[in-house]
Amino acid sequence: MSAIDFEDVSIALGGRRILSGVSFSIEQGHFVGVLGPNGAGKTTLFRTILGLLTATSGKISVLGSPPARGNAAIGYIPQWRHTAAQLNFTGFELLLSAYAGNRWGLPIASQQDRKAVEAALERVGGRELAGRALTELSGGERQRLFIAQALVGEPKLLLFDEPLISLDPAHQRSIVELVRDISRERNIAVLFSAHEVNPLLGAVDEVLYLGQGKAAIGTVDEVVNERVLSALYDTRVHVIRTEGRIFVVAEGGEVDDHLHDHAVTGHATMQGR
Amino acid sequence: MFAMFDYEFMRNAFAAATIVALVAGSIGYFLVLRGETFAGHALSHVGFPGATGAVLIGISPFVGLTVFTALAGIGISLIGERGQRDVAIGLVLTLSLGLGLLFLHFYTSYAGMATNLLFGNVLGISRQTVWVLLVMAAVTLIVLGAISRPLLFASLQPELAEAKGVPIGPLSTAFMIVVALATSLAIQIVGVLLVFALMVAPAATSLRLTRHFALGIALSVGLAVSIVWMSLTLAYVTDWPTSFWITALGSAFYALSRLADVFKTLRVAKLARTGPLEKIA
Ligand SMILES: Nc1ncnc2c1ncn2[C@@H]1O[C@H](COP(=O)(O)OP(=O)(O)O)[C@@H](O)[C@H]1O
Ligand SMILES: [Mg+2]
């Protein structure tokens, strides 16, 4: 059984086509980078897998069943966060409130709930972090906490929506490696969206590129090349590899957001770190 | 001072204020947590035309008040987070006061009613009203208890809660109805204009001082109860209005909690300065 199966799936939002006739399949245990510029439909894809949006046509299977809201087997990190960051609560309280937060009644955590949260925190090395107020955590520390939150309750599939945003390269790398290790040791599929491929290089098993309502899936070498990306974006795309980094530059437009400036100034190849 | 309990109206006032403080402290905690204090403030104002209108057509003002705030609560939750929500709520708030004024205009014999509704009259509460308050408070707290776990989750992480199957929309409507009930209870004590002091001040103070949920709610309730007890006692001693003391003490506690924050920041800054030196020494 694959973790996720899309067969000829189309998704529309407010009358606009976001995905049209997309098919792909993700094996259990695979760490998959979901890539594409802003607005490509990464968040929309995740929300569809979660059962928050319904596809207009096609067949979707998530862990062997159709998508259903409230699927306890999925661990999720949303891209947008309204409130959590400004709160005076400790991380531990936040995780406890979320664990089994869909049950009715008083928010009193059982010993078992606490153990589950502690185990997840342990895995990300976040026991100490969780005792501090969220307002006192750095972006990287907070993201570690959210990863722990997604792990509580032994999920079989993880959906992480842009967890690298606003982190520096060193922290990006440590988050990616942490997620890769978790995916391997528990044999669970992870969809990890990012708008740049470089932080994921060497860690992901596959990449799923979204663009123009279409999708391309495969290993980094199979997908991040001029032939596949030019076909995906309907425009001539240059892929420049240098010093172990990849730059995707589209003619007359951007593909990887991050590269937009360099593409315009034509200095893409000078940016290798 | 304990002589004040010799009076029936003082005993009633203490009972009523305690019941209402229990509700206001706990509901207020969620209200502040969800950033919906302005909505709560507006709800109480809708109670004004509700009560005066009810008297005009010959039914109990308490019933009119409760029905109007509950309807307004549903209305506010339906507006949701859409644009210019504050403007819409603010207009409903002022329109409510205007309507209430109009209704009073038609019913001139109730001159004292306006003051009581607007500023509360805790010393005029009858034994019978205490029982009504007790029953309504019990209902309110039972409903809050039933929804509090998903409500907390949805308040802290709405996007995640939605994905985990929490019914966000119905939940916020249920919460607004609970707020409306709590508001009509609180109006009995502090009046339409001053509900904010009782619902928001203890909760906001508590949220600044604690990092734990259960402790926070207990502190909020504890503060609300202490404030009304102190206010009734001070009102007895000074003969100034109870509602004044509730607003004064509520604001004072909140100011103190902010001051505590300032001191904490200063201490941390000082530690940061002296820390390395101590290590060298
Ligand atoms: N509620 C909505 N109604 C209509 N269009 C939407 C809605 N939400 C997002 N979109 C559009 O869907 C597209 C995909 O958005 P999204 O999935 O958030 O992309 P990404 O996560 O890759 O940046 C964007 O063009 C966005 O403008
Ligand atoms: Mg997105």
Side-chain angles (χ1 to χ4, degrees):
Chain A
M1 181 186 79
S2 330
I4 295 178
D5 246 317
F6 269 51
E7 259 175 61
D8 199 21
V9 173
S10 300
I11 302 169
L13 277 180
R16 264 190 58 216
R17 275 251 170 138
I18 311 297
L19 294 184
S20 44
V22 166
S23 300
F24 64 86
S25 165
I26 289 166
E27 290 309 307
Q28 200 45 282
H30 276 203
F31 180 17
V32 181
V34 179
L35 296 156
N38 277 336
K42 304 182 289 294
T43 299
T44 304
L45 176 74
F46 284 6
R47 288 173 61 82
T48 309
I49 294 171
L50 286 163
L52 297 174
L53 299 172
T54 26
T56 32
S57 67
K59 189 162 166 287
I60 302 176
S61 148
V62 178
L63 300 168
S65 335
R69 198 161 80 99
N71 188 339
I74 305 180
Y76 175 46
I77 301 183
Q79 178 179 5
W80 307 108
R81 295 193 166 265
H82 272 105
T83 51
Q86 308 96 345
L87 288 170
N88 195 18
F89 287 107
T90 64
F92 196 69
E93 293 272 309
L94 187 79
L95 266 59
L96 274 183
S97 77
Y99 184 45
N102 51 355
R103 274 190 252 137
W104 300 105
L106 294 171
I108 297 169
S110 66
Q111 208 52 38
Q112 211 178 334
D113 295 346
R114 288 179 174 273
K115 284 222 178 76
V117 168
E118 274 166 17
L121 284 167
E122 192 77 60
R123 178 59 195 89
V124 305
R127 289 284 294 252
E128 184 269 330
L129 289 182
R132 283 155 56 192
L134 289 163
T135 41
E136 292 166 10
L137 299 182
S138 74
E141 292 169 332
R142 215 173 282 153
Q143 221 46 266
R144 218 165 253 278
L145 210 59
F146 291 142
I147 292 174
Q149 175 167 267
L151 290 181
V152 186
E154 307 290 317
K156 299 284 171 283
L157 169 67
L158 297 175
L159 304 180
F160 290 175
D161 203 355
E162 308 229 16
L164 300 182
I165 237 155
S166 75
L167 298 187
D168 61 49
H171 281 100
Q172 288 187 349
R173 198 63 208 172
S174 73
I175 293 285
V176 169
E177 279 165 8
L178 174 66
V179 175
R180 178 200 57 196
D181 294 347
I182 290 168
S183 166
R184 295 226 170 118
E185 80 198 20
R186 307 194 174 183
N187 190 38
I188 49 182
V190 182
L191 264 63
F192 189 109
S193 77
H195 55 241
E196 212 222 328
V197 69
N198 285 307
L200 305 177
L201 289 179
V204 286
D205 300 305
E206 284 168 302
V207 288
L208 173 67
Y209 252 89
L210 300 180
Q212 313 271 48
K214 293 174 288 180
I217 195 167
T219 63
V220 171
D221 288 339
E222 282 164 359
V223 176
V224 191
N225 58 53
E226 306 201 341
R227 186 178 52 81
V228 172
L229 292 186
S230 296
L232 184 67
Y233 291 105
D234 279 334
T235 179
R236 185 106 179 83
V237 172
H238 299 284
V239 174
I240 302 147
R241 290 175 183 250
T242 173
E243 293 175 39
R245 291 172 59 80
I246 302 180
F247 298 94
V248 181
V249 184
E251 262 168 29
E254 57 181 297
V255 173
D256 280 359
D257 269 47
H258 176 75
L259 296 159
H260 189 218
D261 301 354
H262 314 315
V264 172
T265 53
H267 287 203
T269 51
M270 316 279 282
Q271 297 296 319
R273 257 166 280 189
Chain B
M1 198 175 72
F2 287 100
M4 66 185 173
F5 291 112
D6 290 345
Y7 300 100
E8 159 99 20
F9 73 89
M10 275 316 260
R11 289 198 300 270
N12 287 343
F14 263 89
T18 309
I19 292 167
V20 170
L22 290 174
V23 175
S26 42
I27 304 272
Y29 188 84
F30 284 97
L31 206 56
V32 176
L33 195 63
R34 295 170 62 80
E36 290 177 333
T37 54
F38 185 56
H41 183 60
L43 272 187
S44 70
H45 289 67
V46 179
F48 186 50
T52 49
V55 171
L56 202 60
I57 59 170
I59 56 175
S60 150
F62 190 52
V63 172
L65 177 85
T66 310
V67 169
F68 260 57
T69 47
L71 288 178
I74 295 171
I76 286 176
S77 74
L78 291 183
I79 301 178
E81 308 259 297
R82 267 171 271 158
Q84 295 214 315
R85 187 194 196 201
D86 282 1
V87 175
I89 292 175
L91 282 175
V92 169
L93 182 158
T94 45
L95 177 67
S96 297
L97 286 180
L99 270 179
L101 181 68
L102 179 71
F103 293 161
L104 276 179
H105 172 77
F106 290 131
Y107 203 87
T108 41
S109 64
Y110 256 86
M113 189 171 114
T115 327
N116 287 351
L117 263 176
L118 292 176
F119 298 106
N121 182 25
V122 65
L123 300 183
I125 284 178
S126 67
R127 169 127 305 201
Q128 195 200 345
T129 310
V130 173
W131 282 110
V132 174
L133 292 180
L134 187 64
V135 171
M136 272 185 63
V139 171
T140 311
L141 286 180
I142 287 169
V143 176
L144 180 70
I147 63 170
S148 59
R149 188 197 274 253
L151 186 66
L152 179 68
F153 185 21
S155 307
L156 298 181
Q157 304 188 74
E159 300 84 359
L160 188 63
E162 188 193 14
K164 290 287 176 187
V166 174
I168 303 281
L171 194 62
S172 66
T173 305
F175 178 63
M176 268 300 150
I177 293 173
V178 169
V179 173
L181 290 179
T183 303
S184 33
L185 292 176
I187 289 174
Q188 305 303 310
I189 309 296
V190 286
V192 163
L193 295 179
L194 310 180
V195 165
F196 203 81
L198 198 53
M199 289 259 259
V200 175
T205 306
S206 154
L207 271 162
R208 294 191 79 87
L209 295 178
T210 58
R211 290 173 176 189
H212 299 276
F213 170 75
L215 201 64
I217 221 167
L219 182 62
S220 174
V221 169
L223 276 171
V225 171
S226 320
I227 287 173
V228 295
W229 285 358
M230 283 191 265
S231 300
L232 281 168
T233 310
L234 285 165
Y236 179 79
V237 173
T238 60
D239 200 30
W240 295 1
T242 316
S243 296
F244 160 74
W245 285 115
I246 291 178
T247 56
L249 291 176
S251 313
F253 275 116
Y254 181 70
L256 281 178
S257 73
R258 296 206 67 133
L259 214 61
D261 258 14
V262 172
F263 279 125
K264 203 166 79 186
T265 322
L266 285 180
R267 210 170 54 227
V268 170
K270 197 171 154 204
L271 274 181
R273 270 204 316 274
T274 54
L277 285 178
E278 275 164 8
K279 261 188 215 132
I280 293 166

